[in-house]
Amino acid sequence: MLRGSLDTLSHTAMKTKISVIVWNEFQHERQSSAIAEIYPDGMHQVIAQALRVGDADLEVGTATLDQPEHGLSEERLAGCDVLVWWGHKAHDQVDDAIVDRVQKRVLEGMGLIVLHSGHFSKIFRRMMGTNCSLKWREADEKERVWVVEPSHPIAAGLGEYFELPYEEMYGERFDIPQPDSTVFISWFEGGEVFRSGCTWERGHGRIFYFRPGHEAYPTYYDANVQKVLNNAVRWAAPRVNIVDNCPNAQPLEPIAKKALNFAKVGILQSTKDIQ
Amino acid sequence: MLRGSLDTLSHTAMKTKISVIVWNEFQHERQSSAIAEIYPDGMHQVIAQALRVGDADLEVGTATLDQPEHGLSEERLAGCDVLVWWGHKAHDQVDDAIVDRVQKRVLEGMGLIVLHSGHFSKIFRRMMGTNCSLKWREADEKERVWVVEPSHPIAAGLGEYFELPYEEMYGERFDIPQPDSTVFISWFEGGEVFRSGCTWERGHGRIFYFRPGHEAYPTYYDANVQKVLNNAVRWAAPRVNIVDNCPNAQPLEPIAKKALNFAKVGILQSTKDIQ
Amino acid sequence: MLRGSLDTLSHTAMKTKISVIVWNEFQHERQSSAIAEIYPDGMHQVIAQALRVGDADLEVGTATLDQPEHGLSEERLAGCDVLVWWGHKAHDQVDDAIVDRVQKRVLEGMGLIVLHSGHFSKIFRRMMGTNCSLKWREADEKERVWVVEPSHPIAAGLGEYFELPYEEMYGERFDIPQPDSTVFISWFEGGEVFRSGCTWERGHGRIFYFRPGHEAYPTYYDANVQKVLNNAVRWAAPRVNIVDNCPNAQPLEPIAKKALNFAKVGILQSTKDIQ
Amino acid sequence: MLRGSLDTLSHTAMKTKISVIVWNEFQHERQSSAIAEIYPDGMHQVIAQALRVGDADLEVGTATLDQPEHGLSEERLAGCDVLVWWGHKAHDQVDDAIVDRVQKRVLEGMGLIVLHSGHFSKIFRRMMGTNCSLKWREADEKERVWVVEPSHPIAAGLGEYFELPYEEMYGERFDIPQPDSTVFISWFEGGEVFRSGCTWERGHGRIFYFRPGHEAYPTYYDANVQKVLNNAVRWAAPRVNIVDNCPNAQPLEPIAKKALNFAKVGILQSTKDIQ
């Protein structure tokens, strides 16, 4: 069984690797010594490294808020298959023009993986259309992540659940549109539950939100978390790359001559005109 | 059987009427004599009148682009249960601050009904997160609207299909998130199909997109179209009114003392901070 | 605001009451003295009574396994708006012909509310098409039911969560089709989570599964549980009553004369033929 | 990019080929000379051949109604990755025990592709829980199949639409549960529309319904139809193989000693007990 082989050959242009960019606002790690101890080079480096050690089918780079265009130039995004996003305290410093650019690429087919506090990022809220708010608590508490959809590719290789001994709590209600698939639901020591792994399709792109990953804990070193990220990147890889248009279409069948003759308005619009 | 009676009594504050605002950009009707002949006072007036002739349970007003704040002041929107939206050539003239305001109200529970060329409005694209593009053609052609979900309240009182002898064509692919319910699918004389009646829930509000209603045709005088609008307004009426927050929550269960003690970051965020 | 009033008037035949049948296998209560102490007349009587004390808009009867046709004659089901189902140890004693009959009525528009161990009932598994299996444990443990969709009519009048001090545990993975709405998710003291309130539409009918209600605990006396049942019965009330058919349809448009002329097979089928 | 490679390596046991069984009731082709002219060896042979000419990643066999156990022994199904189903006039001759067996395998992870008049097959109606009825007409009419989800793997390599010059009409309402994805919607010359390509997940298996394929037309020789079938078989290939159970689970967290002590019922159930 070679699942997906057809996609590779005929559904997108043949490429040998999935190009991944791990984006991080990279502020906590430079402003807090406690957090710098856990992630001395930034969370993005630990996540990128975790993606590099798997099969050699990923090409992984990083980008950060303080780079020009936040490291997400037109050219770089054009070649990106999957964008992984971590942000928290500087969501409002992300330029709206870059958010537009990322959204456009997702709708064309690029994958987007949003981590933890990225629930409040501009790009996630843009893709969801909702507030994306939730309950939260920092209390060094245990999280048990239950696998609700074991057949989902993002759950491949996991057991029935995995545990994180120290995590921030996120609790329902999580203000998101109904997910296409709720892959994980978390149990928290302090009494809450949370839909911790959710997928959506928007335009031609796939989106995965994954809850764990508070900056003050070594979550991204966890083997199960790394497995989820590896799975998710492959699941979110583009199947197509389709640039949006809104065409005036000629009829495919004859249209009968009618008794009345109405005015034609003839406004040609594209999403570019109405931004 | 008194379906919904419980909602009325206990799920929202008791109100005697559903307050509806019919919003129109109101430009075609003042700039084209052919369109002015069909809708001399604007499409919003014909739609509003169609909603007023049913049961006396609706309180219907109108608003237009050229009014201060486009007729959608904080106060007026606060009292609005369902907003009906028609726009086409002036989407880009709608102030982003008003779009923010409408989105906030939908997420709190207000209903939103988007008509025809409103597929490209800022508010619809904001709620969907997608381009909302499609194929189109102005050719005086027949549209047959098939009822796919006869048990949906929006289809109440309709037959298996209804026809519009003159309409603009909209064709797939329509770039929207998978609808919660696809109530109508249209057949077009020229050979296309379209998901013409789609519902979504976002936050606590309900959204309905309804395809027919090109400005050059007398579509809003059609009895079936009017029935759909009447049904939709009632379906979209608020069930709750919940203001967004993102609370720091106290634990409900004891959290065990742990071996390690991590830093606390303690950032209080709300959707207001990150706009 | 009179949400739903339109449904009442035009979408179904005007009826003054929702007719509810509470069905119970009624075995535990007659075979175990411990359970008989809690539910001396059977769980169905406690549930029925809880539905009778609300608004006077419900007409509530009961039915049990040991009655002729399990109390669900053609005639009685024909007049039933919503069927509430509790079963556990005698699922296999339910006659397949009665299961066919109930399924037919749900597909025509009747509401179905399946409680707790009813997850393994023939009728629930028939409607879902899946195994409906789960994890379970009887350990006198605390369940906290979180409201994930506060705007859903079934959650009307509840707080952010409610607790049951003693319940059986049900844990994921729950083998069900993706619900239309996941209204509740439960947190269990012993470490599991569960999608405790799920809705689906099948045919023209609405289905709600509600997890709590183990026979050894006084769950159906709980005020929040009773509120959920009251809400659910009203939510599941029929919007239409449509008898299935599979018609041979005449064309609505002229079909061009073709070069080739193929054989006609002309098999008239209905679901009745193929049972 | 090697989409799906991870699935192959770690999500299921490594296999080199996808094993496909094309099942056909094989009656029309032996009873009607007109149909025998088009499909002299049966439709299953034409479909199987179409699957064999692609990449060498499929291992394709056939089975028919008149074979012992309809060609679907326990052993054969155990090794089957994807089952393709064509039936029409003999749905009621399919043994319920075989239907049970196929359902069990789908819920474990096997793919199921149901073709055309298979909408009324026992297995499809079992998986859906609905009547699966529709409108129909045999009138040598044109069908135009629109691609609604171009990024879906089943649509890979297709254009915006494809046409079948001669097909039976199927029209809405099609009585199915809301699909996970509506990949195709058909336009018919005679005026109807139909959701022609629909996907669902049930248990751990994937299901695809594909409308075209009336026995009196040479539809299965069409290049686009063959492409869809090739895509669908690969999309539906198993990601896991999980045998159903309903385990009594030990707690993962300490459960507090409670004031009251309720009876334990202790009924161990599995789906096998309740058939």
Side-chain angles (χ1 to χ4, degrees), chain C residues 88 103 129 133 136-138 140 166 189-190 216 244 247 249 251-253 256 258 260 262 264-266 269, chain D residues 88 103 129 133 136-138 140 166 189-190 216 244 247-249 251-253 256 258 260 262 264-266 269:
Chain C
H88 183 203
Q103 179 183 23
S133 50
W136 63 278
R137 177 173 61 236
E138 293 181 272
D140 297 350
Y166 297 89
E189 194 179 354
D244 184 57
L252 301 163
E253 302 287 332
K258 302 294 192 316
L260 301 175
F262 289 93
K264 299 297 164 284
V265 179
Q269 272 180 330
Chain D
H88 183 201
Q103 177 183 25
S133 50
W136 63 279
R137 175 174 62 237
E138 292 181 273
D140 296 350
Y166 297 89
E189 194 179 353
D244 184 57
N248 189 349
L252 301 163
E253 302 287 334
K258 302 294 192 313
L260 301 175
F262 289 92
K264 300 295 163 286
V265 179
Q269 272 180 330

Short mmCIF file of all heavy atoms in Angstrom, two decimals, chain C residues 88 103 129 133 136-138 140 166 189-190 216 244 247 249 251-253 256 258 260 262 264-266 269, chain D residues 88 103 129 133 136-138 140 166 189-190 216 244 247-249 251-253 256 258 260 262 264-266 269:
data_model
loop_
_atom_site.label_atom_id
_atom_site.label_comp_id
_atom_site.label_asym_id
_atom_site.label_seq_id
_atom_site.Cartn_x
_atom_site.Cartn_y
_atom_site.Cartn_z
N HIS C 88 -29.97 -1.18 28.24
CA HIS C 88 -28.64 -1.56 28.68
C HIS C 88 -28.38 -3.05 28.51
O HIS C 88 -27.60 -3.47 27.68
CB HIS C 88 -28.42 -1.14 30.13
CG HIS C 88 -27.04 -1.44 30.65
ND1 HIS C 88 -26.76 -1.57 31.98
CD2 HIS C 88 -25.88 -1.62 29.99
CE1 HIS C 88 -25.47 -1.81 32.12
NE2 HIS C 88 -24.91 -1.85 30.95
N GLN C 103 -36.58 3.54 13.15
CA GLN C 103 -35.70 4.19 12.18
C GLN C 103 -36.51 4.93 11.10
O GLN C 103 -36.22 6.08 10.77
CB GLN C 103 -34.80 3.15 11.50
CG GLN C 103 -33.88 3.76 10.45
CD GLN C 103 -33.03 2.72 9.73
OE1 GLN C 103 -33.39 1.55 9.67
NE2 GLN C 103 -31.90 3.16 9.20
N GLY C 129 -24.55 3.79 12.11
CA GLY C 129 -23.77 2.98 11.17
C GLY C 129 -22.43 2.53 11.73
O GLY C 129 -21.63 1.93 11.02
N SER C 133 -18.95 1.90 20.35
CA SER C 133 -18.26 1.41 21.54
C SER C 133 -17.47 2.53 22.21
O SER C 133 -17.29 3.61 21.63
CB SER C 133 -17.34 0.25 21.15
OG SER C 133 -16.54 0.62 20.05
N TRP C 136 -15.31 2.18 29.66
CA TRP C 136 -16.24 2.40 30.77
C TRP C 136 -15.67 1.89 32.08
O TRP C 136 -14.73 1.08 32.11
CB TRP C 136 -17.58 1.73 30.46
CG TRP C 136 -17.47 0.24 30.34
CD1 TRP C 136 -17.07 -0.46 29.25
CD2 TRP C 136 -17.73 -0.73 31.36
NE1 TRP C 136 -17.08 -1.80 29.51
CE2 TRP C 136 -17.48 -2.00 30.79
CE3 TRP C 136 -18.17 -0.64 32.69
CZ2 TRP C 136 -17.64 -3.18 31.53
CZ3 TRP C 136 -18.33 -1.81 33.41
CH2 TRP C 136 -18.06 -3.07 32.83
N ARG C 137 -16.25 2.38 33.18
CA ARG C 137 -15.80 1.99 34.53
C ARG C 137 -16.89 2.39 35.53
O ARG C 137 -17.42 3.50 35.44
CB ARG C 137 -14.51 2.74 34.87
CG ARG C 137 -13.96 2.50 36.27
CD ARG C 137 -12.59 3.17 36.43
NE ARG C 137 -12.63 4.60 36.25
CZ ARG C 137 -11.89 5.28 35.37
NH1 ARG C 137 -11.02 4.67 34.57
NH2 ARG C 137 -12.01 6.58 35.25
N GLU C 138 -17.19 1.51 36.44
CA GLU C 138 -18.14 1.82 37.53
C GLU C 138 -17.33 2.05 38.79
O GLU C 138 -16.86 1.08 39.40
CB GLU C 138 -19.10 0.66 37.77
CG GLU C 138 -20.06 0.40 36.64
CD GLU C 138 -20.99 -0.77 36.99
OE1 GLU C 138 -20.61 -1.92 36.71
OE2 GLU C 138 -22.06 -0.53 37.56
N ASP C 140 -18.03 5.00 41.16
CA ASP C 140 -18.57 6.10 41.99
C ASP C 140 -17.76 7.37 41.82
O ASP C 140 -17.33 7.99 42.78
CB ASP C 140 -18.56 5.71 43.47
CG ASP C 140 -19.46 4.52 43.77
OD1 ASP C 140 -20.24 4.12 42.88
OD2 ASP C 140 -19.37 4.00 44.89
N TYR C 166 -21.64 11.31 41.38
CA TYR C 166 -21.50 9.86 41.22
C TYR C 166 -21.95 9.48 39.82
O TYR C 166 -23.12 9.64 39.48
CB TYR C 166 -22.40 9.10 42.20
CG TYR C 166 -22.08 9.31 43.65
CD1 TYR C 166 -22.66 10.35 44.36
CD2 TYR C 166 -21.19 8.45 44.31
CE1 TYR C 166 -22.37 10.53 45.70
CE2 TYR C 166 -20.90 8.63 45.65
CZ TYR C 166 -21.48 9.68 46.34
OH TYR C 166 -21.19 9.86 47.66
N GLU C 189 -13.14 12.19 36.96
CA GLU C 189 -12.20 12.14 38.08
C GLU C 189 -11.05 11.16 37.82
O GLU C 189 -9.91 11.42 38.17
CB GLU C 189 -13.00 11.71 39.32
CG GLU C 189 -12.30 11.91 40.63
CD GLU C 189 -13.18 11.46 41.80
OE1 GLU C 189 -14.37 11.11 41.58
OE2 GLU C 189 -12.69 11.47 42.95
N GLY C 190 -11.36 10.03 37.20
CA GLY C 190 -10.35 9.00 36.98
C GLY C 190 -9.43 9.27 35.80
O GLY C 190 -8.55 8.46 35.51
N ALA C 216 -27.47 2.78 38.40
CA ALA C 216 -27.20 2.63 39.83
C ALA C 216 -27.09 3.97 40.57
O ALA C 216 -26.89 4.00 41.78
CB ALA C 216 -25.91 1.82 40.03
N ASP C 244 -40.72 8.59 2.94
CA ASP C 244 -39.70 8.32 1.93
C ASP C 244 -40.29 7.83 0.62
O ASP C 244 -41.21 7.02 0.61
CB ASP C 244 -38.73 7.26 2.47
CG ASP C 244 -37.59 7.01 1.51
OD1 ASP C 244 -36.88 7.99 1.20
OD2 ASP C 244 -37.42 5.86 1.07
N PRO C 247 -38.78 8.60 -6.50
CA PRO C 247 -39.64 8.75 -7.67
C PRO C 247 -38.90 8.75 -9.00
O PRO C 247 -37.79 9.25 -9.11
CB PRO C 247 -40.29 10.12 -7.45
CG PRO C 247 -39.30 10.87 -6.63
CD PRO C 247 -38.62 9.85 -5.75
N ALA C 249 -38.77 10.63 -12.18
CA ALA C 249 -39.14 12.03 -12.39
C ALA C 249 -39.14 12.40 -13.86
O ALA C 249 -38.23 12.03 -14.61
CB ALA C 249 -38.15 12.92 -11.65
N PRO C 251 -38.62 15.02 -16.95
CA PRO C 251 -37.67 16.14 -17.10
C PRO C 251 -38.37 17.50 -17.00
O PRO C 251 -39.53 17.63 -17.37
CB PRO C 251 -37.09 15.92 -18.49
CG PRO C 251 -38.02 15.02 -19.20
CD PRO C 251 -38.71 14.20 -18.16
N LEU C 252 -37.63 18.48 -16.50
CA LEU C 252 -38.14 19.84 -16.37
C LEU C 252 -37.65 20.70 -17.53
O LEU C 252 -38.09 21.82 -17.71
CB LEU C 252 -37.66 20.43 -15.04
CG LEU C 252 -38.11 19.62 -13.82
CD1 LEU C 252 -37.30 19.98 -12.60
CD2 LEU C 252 -39.59 19.86 -13.58
N GLU C 253 -36.71 20.19 -18.27
CA GLU C 253 -36.14 20.88 -19.43
C GLU C 253 -36.14 19.90 -20.59
O GLU C 253 -36.08 18.69 -20.37
CB GLU C 253 -34.68 21.28 -19.13
CG GLU C 253 -34.50 22.16 -17.92
CD GLU C 253 -34.99 23.58 -18.17
OE1 GLU C 253 -34.97 24.01 -19.34
OE2 GLU C 253 -35.39 24.24 -17.21
N ALA C 256 -32.22 16.89 -25.42
CA ALA C 256 -31.93 16.83 -26.85
C ALA C 256 -31.98 15.38 -27.36
O ALA C 256 -31.60 14.45 -26.65
CB ALA C 256 -30.56 17.43 -27.13
N LYS C 258 -30.57 12.33 -29.13
CA LYS C 258 -29.15 11.96 -29.24
C LYS C 258 -28.90 11.01 -30.40
O LYS C 258 -29.84 10.37 -30.91
CB LYS C 258 -28.70 11.27 -27.93
CG LYS C 258 -28.88 12.11 -26.67
CD LYS C 258 -27.98 13.33 -26.64
CE LYS C 258 -27.95 13.99 -25.27
NZ LYS C 258 -29.23 14.15 -24.59
N LEU C 260 -27.17 8.22 -30.30
CA LEU C 260 -27.30 6.83 -29.89
C LEU C 260 -28.55 6.65 -29.04
O LEU C 260 -29.08 7.58 -28.44
CB LEU C 260 -26.06 6.39 -29.09
CG LEU C 260 -24.73 6.51 -29.84
CD1 LEU C 260 -23.57 6.16 -28.92
CD2 LEU C 260 -24.73 5.59 -31.06
N PHE C 262 -29.89 4.05 -26.13
CA PHE C 262 -29.51 2.93 -25.26
C PHE C 262 -30.75 2.25 -24.67
O PHE C 262 -31.85 2.82 -24.65
CB PHE C 262 -28.61 3.45 -24.13
CG PHE C 262 -27.24 3.83 -24.63
CD1 PHE C 262 -26.95 5.14 -25.01
CD2 PHE C 262 -26.24 2.88 -24.74
CE1 PHE C 262 -25.70 5.50 -25.46
CE2 PHE C 262 -24.97 3.23 -25.20
CZ PHE C 262 -24.70 4.54 -25.56
N LYS C 264 -33.39 0.82 -21.99
CA LYS C 264 -33.96 1.32 -20.73
C LYS C 264 -34.18 0.12 -19.80
O LYS C 264 -34.67 -0.92 -20.23
CB LYS C 264 -35.30 2.02 -20.98
CG LYS C 264 -35.18 3.24 -21.89
CD LYS C 264 -34.32 4.33 -21.29
CE LYS C 264 -33.91 5.35 -22.35
NZ LYS C 264 -32.82 4.86 -23.24
N VAL C 265 -33.82 0.28 -18.57
CA VAL C 265 -33.90 -0.83 -17.63
C VAL C 265 -35.18 -0.75 -16.81
O VAL C 265 -35.85 -1.75 -16.57
CB VAL C 265 -32.65 -0.83 -16.71
CG1 VAL C 265 -32.73 -1.96 -15.70
CG2 VAL C 265 -31.39 -0.96 -17.58
N GLY C 266 -35.53 0.44 -16.39
CA GLY C 266 -36.85 0.70 -15.82
C GLY C 266 -37.19 -0.04 -14.55
O GLY C 266 -38.31 -0.50 -14.36
N GLN C 269 -37.79 1.12 -7.80
CA GLN C 269 -37.42 0.61 -6.49
C GLN C 269 -37.87 1.56 -5.40
O GLN C 269 -37.92 2.77 -5.60
CB GLN C 269 -35.88 0.49 -6.38
CG GLN C 269 -35.33 -0.82 -6.87
CD GLN C 269 -33.83 -0.87 -6.75
OE1 GLN C 269 -33.16 0.13 -6.83
NE2 GLN C 269 -33.30 -2.07 -6.56
N HIS D 88 -27.68 -3.33 -8.12
CA HIS D 88 -28.87 -2.61 -8.56
C HIS D 88 -30.15 -3.41 -8.33
O HIS D 88 -30.96 -3.05 -7.48
CB HIS D 88 -28.74 -2.25 -10.05
CG HIS D 88 -29.89 -1.45 -10.58
ND1 HIS D 88 -30.20 -1.38 -11.91
CD2 HIS D 88 -30.80 -0.67 -9.96
CE1 HIS D 88 -31.24 -0.59 -12.09
NE2 HIS D 88 -31.62 -0.16 -10.93
N GLN D 103 -19.44 -4.39 6.86
CA GLN D 103 -19.52 -3.25 7.78
C GLN D 103 -18.41 -3.31 8.82
O GLN D 103 -17.73 -2.31 9.09
CB GLN D 103 -20.89 -3.22 8.47
CG GLN D 103 -21.01 -2.08 9.49
CD GLN D 103 -22.34 -2.08 10.24
OE1 GLN D 103 -22.97 -3.13 10.38
NE2 GLN D 103 -22.74 -0.92 10.72
N GLY D 129 -27.20 4.84 7.62
CA GLY D 129 -28.31 4.93 8.58
C GLY D 129 -29.55 5.62 8.00
O GLY D 129 -30.51 5.86 8.72
N SER D 133 -32.53 7.36 -0.64
CA SER D 133 -33.39 7.49 -1.82
C SER D 133 -33.08 8.78 -2.57
O SER D 133 -32.36 9.65 -2.06
CB SER D 133 -34.85 7.43 -1.40
OG SER D 133 -35.09 8.33 -0.34
N TRP D 136 -34.94 9.79 -10.05
CA TRP D 136 -34.20 9.18 -11.15
C TRP D 136 -34.99 9.20 -12.45
O TRP D 136 -36.22 9.36 -12.44
CB TRP D 136 -33.80 7.74 -10.80
CG TRP D 136 -34.99 6.83 -10.59
CD1 TRP D 136 -35.74 6.73 -9.47
CD2 TRP D 136 -35.57 5.95 -11.55
NE1 TRP D 136 -36.75 5.83 -9.66
CE2 TRP D 136 -36.66 5.33 -10.92
CE3 TRP D 136 -35.26 5.62 -12.86
CZ2 TRP D 136 -37.47 4.39 -11.58
CZ3 TRP D 136 -36.05 4.68 -13.52
CH2 TRP D 136 -37.15 4.07 -12.88
N ARG D 137 -34.27 9.03 -13.56
CA ARG D 137 -34.88 9.04 -14.89
C ARG D 137 -33.89 8.45 -15.88
O ARG D 137 -32.70 8.78 -15.84
CB ARG D 137 -35.21 10.48 -15.29
CG ARG D 137 -35.75 10.67 -16.70
CD ARG D 137 -36.19 12.12 -16.93
NE ARG D 137 -35.09 13.06 -16.80
CZ ARG D 137 -35.03 14.09 -15.97
NH1 ARG D 137 -36.06 14.35 -15.16
NH2 ARG D 137 -33.99 14.87 -15.93
N GLU D 138 -34.37 7.57 -16.75
CA GLU D 138 -33.54 7.02 -17.83
C GLU D 138 -33.94 7.72 -19.11
O GLU D 138 -34.97 7.40 -19.69
CB GLU D 138 -33.77 5.52 -17.98
CG GLU D 138 -33.28 4.68 -16.83
CD GLU D 138 -33.54 3.20 -17.11
OE1 GLU D 138 -34.65 2.72 -16.78
OE2 GLU D 138 -32.65 2.53 -17.64
N ASP D 140 -31.31 9.02 -21.63
CA ASP D 140 -30.15 9.30 -22.50
C ASP D 140 -29.73 10.76 -22.40
O ASP D 140 -29.57 11.44 -23.41
CB ASP D 140 -30.49 8.98 -23.98
CG ASP D 140 -30.78 7.51 -24.19
OD1 ASP D 140 -30.53 6.71 -23.25
OD2 ASP D 140 -31.26 7.15 -25.27
N TYR D 166 -24.20 10.48 -22.08
CA TYR D 166 -25.37 9.62 -21.85
C TYR D 166 -25.32 9.12 -20.42
O TYR D 166 -24.42 8.35 -20.07
CB TYR D 166 -25.35 8.39 -22.78
CG TYR D 166 -25.44 8.71 -24.25
CD1 TYR D 166 -24.29 8.94 -25.00
CD2 TYR D 166 -26.68 8.77 -24.88
CE1 TYR D 166 -24.37 9.22 -26.35
CE2 TYR D 166 -26.76 9.04 -26.24
CZ TYR D 166 -25.62 9.28 -26.97
OH TYR D 166 -25.70 9.56 -28.30
N GLU D 189 -29.09 17.66 -17.90
CA GLU D 189 -29.77 18.28 -19.04
C GLU D 189 -31.27 18.50 -18.76
O GLU D 189 -31.83 19.51 -19.15
CB GLU D 189 -29.59 17.33 -20.24
CG GLU D 189 -29.93 17.92 -21.57
CD GLU D 189 -29.69 16.90 -22.70
OE1 GLU D 189 -29.15 15.80 -22.42
OE2 GLU D 189 -30.05 17.19 -23.85
N GLY D 190 -31.88 17.55 -18.07
CA GLY D 190 -33.31 17.63 -17.82
C GLY D 190 -33.70 18.56 -16.67
O GLY D 190 -34.88 18.69 -16.37
N ALA D 216 -26.63 0.65 -18.54
CA ALA D 216 -26.95 0.68 -19.97
C ALA D 216 -26.04 1.60 -20.77
O ALA D 216 -26.18 1.69 -21.99
CB ALA D 216 -28.41 1.10 -20.16
N ASP D 244 -12.67 -3.58 16.89
CA ASP D 244 -13.53 -2.93 17.87
C ASP D 244 -13.48 -3.64 19.22
O ASP D 244 -13.46 -4.86 19.30
CB ASP D 244 -14.98 -2.95 17.37
CG ASP D 244 -15.90 -2.21 18.32
OD1 ASP D 244 -15.65 -1.03 18.58
OD2 ASP D 244 -16.87 -2.85 18.81
N PRO D 247 -13.74 -1.65 26.26
CA PRO D 247 -13.03 -2.14 27.44
C PRO D 247 -13.47 -1.51 28.76
O PRO D 247 -13.82 -0.34 28.83
CB PRO D 247 -11.58 -1.72 27.15
CG PRO D 247 -11.69 -0.53 26.28
CD PRO D 247 -12.93 -0.74 25.44
N ASN D 248 -13.42 -2.33 29.80
CA ASN D 248 -13.55 -1.86 31.18
C ASN D 248 -12.17 -1.31 31.56
O ASN D 248 -11.19 -2.04 31.58
CB ASN D 248 -13.94 -3.05 32.06
CG ASN D 248 -14.30 -2.62 33.48
OD1 ASN D 248 -14.08 -1.48 33.87
ND2 ASN D 248 -14.87 -3.54 34.23
N ALA D 249 -12.10 -0.02 31.83
CA ALA D 249 -10.80 0.66 31.97
C ALA D 249 -10.48 0.98 33.43
O ALA D 249 -11.35 1.44 34.17
CB ALA D 249 -10.81 1.95 31.16
N PRO D 251 -8.80 3.25 36.36
CA PRO D 251 -8.59 4.71 36.45
C PRO D 251 -7.12 5.09 36.29
O PRO D 251 -6.23 4.34 36.70
CB PRO D 251 -9.12 5.07 37.83
CG PRO D 251 -9.18 3.80 38.60
CD PRO D 251 -9.34 2.70 37.61
N LEU D 252 -6.87 6.26 35.73
CA LEU D 252 -5.53 6.78 35.53
C LEU D 252 -5.18 7.78 36.63
O LEU D 252 -4.04 8.19 36.78
CB LEU D 252 -5.44 7.47 34.16
CG LEU D 252 -5.76 6.53 33.00
CD1 LEU D 252 -6.06 7.31 31.74
CD2 LEU D 252 -4.60 5.56 32.78
N GLU D 253 -6.18 8.18 37.39
CA GLU D 253 -6.03 9.12 38.50
C GLU D 253 -6.73 8.53 39.70
O GLU D 253 -7.67 7.76 39.54
CB GLU D 253 -6.69 10.46 38.15
CG GLU D 253 -6.17 11.12 36.89
CD GLU D 253 -4.78 11.70 37.07
OE1 GLU D 253 -4.44 12.05 38.23
OE2 GLU D 253 -4.04 11.81 36.09
N ALA D 256 -11.47 9.71 44.58
CA ALA D 256 -11.68 9.97 46.02
C ALA D 256 -12.71 9.00 46.59
O ALA D 256 -13.68 8.63 45.92
CB ALA D 256 -12.13 11.41 46.22
N LYS D 258 -15.89 8.14 48.50
CA LYS D 258 -17.10 8.95 48.58
C LYS D 258 -17.95 8.58 49.79
O LYS D 258 -17.78 7.49 50.36
CB LYS D 258 -17.94 8.77 47.31
CG LYS D 258 -17.23 9.12 46.01
CD LYS D 258 -16.91 10.59 45.91
CE LYS D 258 -16.48 10.98 44.49
NZ LYS D 258 -15.51 10.12 43.85
N LEU D 260 -21.18 8.02 49.77
CA LEU D 260 -22.15 6.97 49.44
C LEU D 260 -21.48 5.87 48.63
O LEU D 260 -20.44 6.06 48.02
CB LEU D 260 -23.31 7.56 48.64
CG LEU D 260 -24.09 8.67 49.35
CD1 LEU D 260 -25.13 9.26 48.43
CD2 LEU D 260 -24.74 8.12 50.62
N PHE D 262 -22.59 3.00 45.88
CA PHE D 262 -23.67 2.49 45.05
C PHE D 262 -23.38 1.10 44.52
O PHE D 262 -22.24 0.65 44.49
CB PHE D 262 -23.93 3.46 43.89
CG PHE D 262 -24.55 4.75 44.33
CD1 PHE D 262 -23.75 5.84 44.65
CD2 PHE D 262 -25.92 4.88 44.46
CE1 PHE D 262 -24.32 7.04 45.06
CE2 PHE D 262 -26.50 6.06 44.87
CZ PHE D 262 -25.69 7.15 45.17
N LYS D 264 -22.79 -1.98 42.01
CA LYS D 264 -22.07 -2.15 40.74
C LYS D 264 -22.84 -3.14 39.87
O LYS D 264 -23.28 -4.18 40.35
CB LYS D 264 -20.65 -2.66 40.97
CG LYS D 264 -19.79 -1.75 41.82
CD LYS D 264 -19.51 -0.41 41.15
CE LYS D 264 -19.02 0.62 42.16
NZ LYS D 264 -20.09 1.14 43.05
N VAL D 265 -22.97 -2.84 38.62
CA VAL D 265 -23.78 -3.67 37.73
C VAL D 265 -22.87 -4.63 36.95
O VAL D 265 -23.19 -5.79 36.76
CB VAL D 265 -24.63 -2.79 36.79
CG1 VAL D 265 -25.44 -3.64 35.84
CG2 VAL D 265 -25.55 -1.90 37.63
N GLY D 266 -21.78 -4.12 36.50
CA GLY D 266 -20.73 -4.99 35.95
C GLY D 266 -21.08 -5.79 34.72
O GLY D 266 -20.67 -6.94 34.60
N GLN D 269 -19.95 -5.79 27.92
CA GLN D 269 -20.62 -5.90 26.63
C GLN D 269 -19.63 -5.66 25.51
O GLN D 269 -18.68 -4.91 25.65
CB GLN D 269 -21.72 -4.84 26.50
CG GLN D 269 -23.06 -5.28 27.03
CD GLN D 269 -24.10 -4.18 26.88
OE1 GLN D 269 -23.77 -3.01 26.90
NE2 GLN D 269 -25.35 -4.57 26.75
#
